[in-house]
Amino acid sequence: MGKRWDLAALASIPLIMTLANSMLIPVLPLMQKKLNISSVQSSLIITVYAAVSILCIPIAGYLSDRFGRKVVIIIGLSIAAVGGLISGLAAWLMDSHVYVVILAGRFIQGIGAAGAFPIVLPLVGDMFESEEEVSSGLGMIETANTFGKVLSPVLGSALALVIWFLPLAVIPFISLIAILGVIFFVKVPKQKSNEKNSFSNFFQSLKAILAQKGHWLYATFAIGGISMFIMFGFLYYLSSVLEDHYHIEGIWKGLVLAIPLIAICLASFITGKMVGENKNRMKWLIVVGTAMLAIMMFTCGVMNTKGLMFLLTFMFVSGAGIGLALPSLDALITEGIEKKQRGTITSLYSSARFIGVAAGPLIASWLLTKEAFLFYLFAGFALLCTVLALLTIKPSKDEKAA
């Protein structure tokens, strides 16, 4: 109970960082027209943010283990605010080279994002003693992350109706909210002096963890990355199809895009409450969630239909599948690693997720005219996740080893 405000402040970080990225998805077609760029170039506005985060997240994870989570989060959020300011001012004030400067701002924003949401996961693990409290806290964090995705298309579309670049311009202001929340409400446990290892000791312990637990850690990284790849891929696809085929724009488009995201949000919240300390349950929720996703994506490919109700129904069920898997992955990876190395391992996991975020819109933009193939690709990757979870995640074996 005493940590409710701490958790609320931490939950604001994935919410706000998700808004900073995902609310651009519904307005990418509009930005494409305003900036006179191609669909692939517009997808890079999302991809460059995620791509630089992939490289910086492991560094931020190591720094958080060495110097403390809170300071890294505050610095990360501040850098993200500066990047957002550059992109917003470029769209507002510049007449030439606007697209290039927007990408530069998004690049800086991505560096900052690496020190924000990825560090929240290990910090929640540090703050709570029991695994049940950790699971519940991580469920709230994943729910906040997904709620940001639900709110993003509606808010992004509404802001773009006022001024097309407003979704870029508000990022510094919403980042400031998260910074103040962390400064005033988050109290981190004191770090023991023996936890501050040299880089060589850290690297040796990292190698030892991956040697001992790599059989399920690598699978967890892959499943997290593929889940985000499919999520951001089908959101980009849906955003384009709603305008091109159904002529749905503005707020209505945002509301329709929110439908599969609501399923992810609800499933994430329920899963966070369900998993507790039961690692076997985490495994089977991942298996069931990714299997649901594979079946729905395959069905979309087979039907190859432009019927909006069918498409939204399948994507709603797909979202529920992702919502079952993500909090279970978060809990499994956070509770399966000691606090000393938790920041680094969870940051590797977050990097894998950001690979999916970066690749999803880019691949979807290339395959917009080959819808069936795109859905078969998603289905194949989701099936791979199911197989990986079945074969490599063996909780009873891992607990005995620990």
Side-chain angles (χ1 to χ4, degrees):
M1 293 291 287
K3 294 178 180 174
R4 181 176 291 174
W5 284 106
D6 302 61
L7 193 58
L10 288 176
S12 74
I13 296 170
L15 171 65
I16 286 168
M17 298 314 292
T18 298
L19 285 175
N21 194 38
S22 298
M23 70 179 173
L24 300 181
I25 290 177
V27 298
L28 286 180
L30 177 61
M31 288 185 175
Q32 185 179 327
K33 293 170 190 170
K34 293 289 184 180
L35 297 172
N36 194 27
I37 55 177
S38 68
S39 61
V40 172
Q41 285 177 305
S42 72
S43 72
L44 287 175
I45 295 174
I46 301 292
T47 298
V48 72
Y49 168 93
V52 67
S53 295
I54 295 163
L55 301 176
C56 295
I57 286 170
I59 299 168
Y62 167 68
L63 292 174
S64 79
D65 280 339
R66 185 85 191 271
F67 301 109
R69 319 270 192 230
K70 185 171 177 176
V71 65
V72 172
I73 287 173
I74 291 169
I75 292 170
L77 287 169
S78 301
I79 294 171
V82 170
L85 188 64
I86 290 170
S87 292
L89 289 175
W92 180 25
L93 299 175
M94 292 182 68
D95 294 321
S96 60
H97 307 296
V98 180
Y99 172 69
V100 174
V101 180
I102 287 174
L103 281 188
R106 293 287 289 167
F107 183 90
I108 294 167
Q109 196 182 330
I111 295 172
F117 173 52
I119 311 304
V120 171
L121 298 179
L123 182 50
V124 171
D126 295 347
M127 284 169 51
F128 296 100
E129 293 300 323
S130 77
E131 291 188 355
E132 191 166 348
E133 285 181 315
V134 172
S135 295
S136 181
L138 290 171
M140 290 298 296
I141 296 299
E142 198 63 67
T143 301
N145 182 27
T146 311
F147 179 68
K149 291 182 175 65
V150 173
L151 188 60
S152 292
V154 181
L155 184 60
S157 301
L159 291 172
L161 284 176
V162 181
I163 306 172
W164 70 271
F165 58 81
L166 203 53
L168 289 169
V170 299
I171 289 167
F173 301 102
I174 60 177
S175 298
L176 183 60
I177 295 170
I179 292 168
L180 294 174
V182 173
I183 290 172
F184 290 111
F185 294 114
V186 175
K187 302 168 203 67
V188 298
K190 287 188 178 177
Q191 197 175 33
K192 296 177 184 177
S193 58
N194 64 359
E195 288 185 288
K196 297 191 175 186
N197 299 318
S198 68
F199 186 77
S200 60
N201 289 340
F202 150 78
F203 191 69
Q204 290 301 319
S205 76
L206 177 61
K207 281 175 66 179
I209 292 169
L210 293 175
Q212 181 192 3
K213 302 186 178 185
H215 62 282
W216 66 269
L217 280 176
Y218 293 132
T220 306
F221 297 162
I223 296 167
I226 290 169
S227 297
M228 300 306 286
F229 165 71
I230 296 172
M231 183 198 302
F232 274 80
F234 77 55
L235 284 175
Y236 184 91
Y237 165 82
L238 187 57
S239 176
S240 299
V241 163
L242 287 175
E243 285 201 16
D244 296 342
H245 293 299
Y246 301 104
H247 309 293
I248 298 173
E249 300 179 3
I251 296 290
W252 288 109
K253 177 183 171 182
L255 290 169
V256 175
L257 278 173
I259 291 172
L261 294 167
I262 288 170
I264 301 175
C265 188
L266 290 173
S268 294
F269 180 76
I270 294 167
T271 302
K273 298 291 184 185
M274 283 173 53
V275 291
E277 301 177 28
N278 192 326
K279 292 184 174 64
N280 201 49
R281 188 179 296 164
M282 295 172 198
K283 169 183 175 168
W284 286 105
L285 284 169
I286 294 166
V287 170
V288 171
T290 54
M292 286 169 56
L293 182 60
I295 292 167
M296 290 299 103
M297 292 292 102
F298 181 77
T299 306
C300 285
V302 169
M303 294 187 68
N304 196 19
T305 179
K306 298 253 190 277
L308 185 58
M309 290 306 298
F310 283 107
L311 187 61
L312 290 177
T313 301
F314 295 140
M315 289 197 172
F316 184 88
V317 179
S318 298
I322 292 173
L324 292 177
L326 288 181
S328 304
L329 290 166
D330 294 348
L332 195 65
I333 204 163
T334 303
E335 294 172 23
I337 301 297
E338 292 181 14
K339 289 185 180 182
K340 193 161 62 172
Q341 294 92 13
R342 190 175 280 158
T344 304
I345 296 298
T346 55
S347 70
L348 292 175
Y349 166 65
S350 295
S351 283
R353 284 178 56 151
F354 268 80
I355 291 172
V357 174
L362 194 61
I363 300 299
S365 69
W366 284 340
L367 298 176
L368 276 177
T369 57
K370 300 175 182 177
E371 296 176 357
F373 181 78
L374 179 63
F375 284 116
Y376 289 143
L377 182 69
F378 289 158
F381 275 120
L383 182 60
L384 174 62
C385 290
T386 307
V387 174
L388 284 173
L390 277 170
L391 297 181
T392 64
I393 300 174
K394 299 175 181 176
S396 57
K397 178 182 174 183
D398 294 325
E399 284 162 11
K400 285 175 187 173

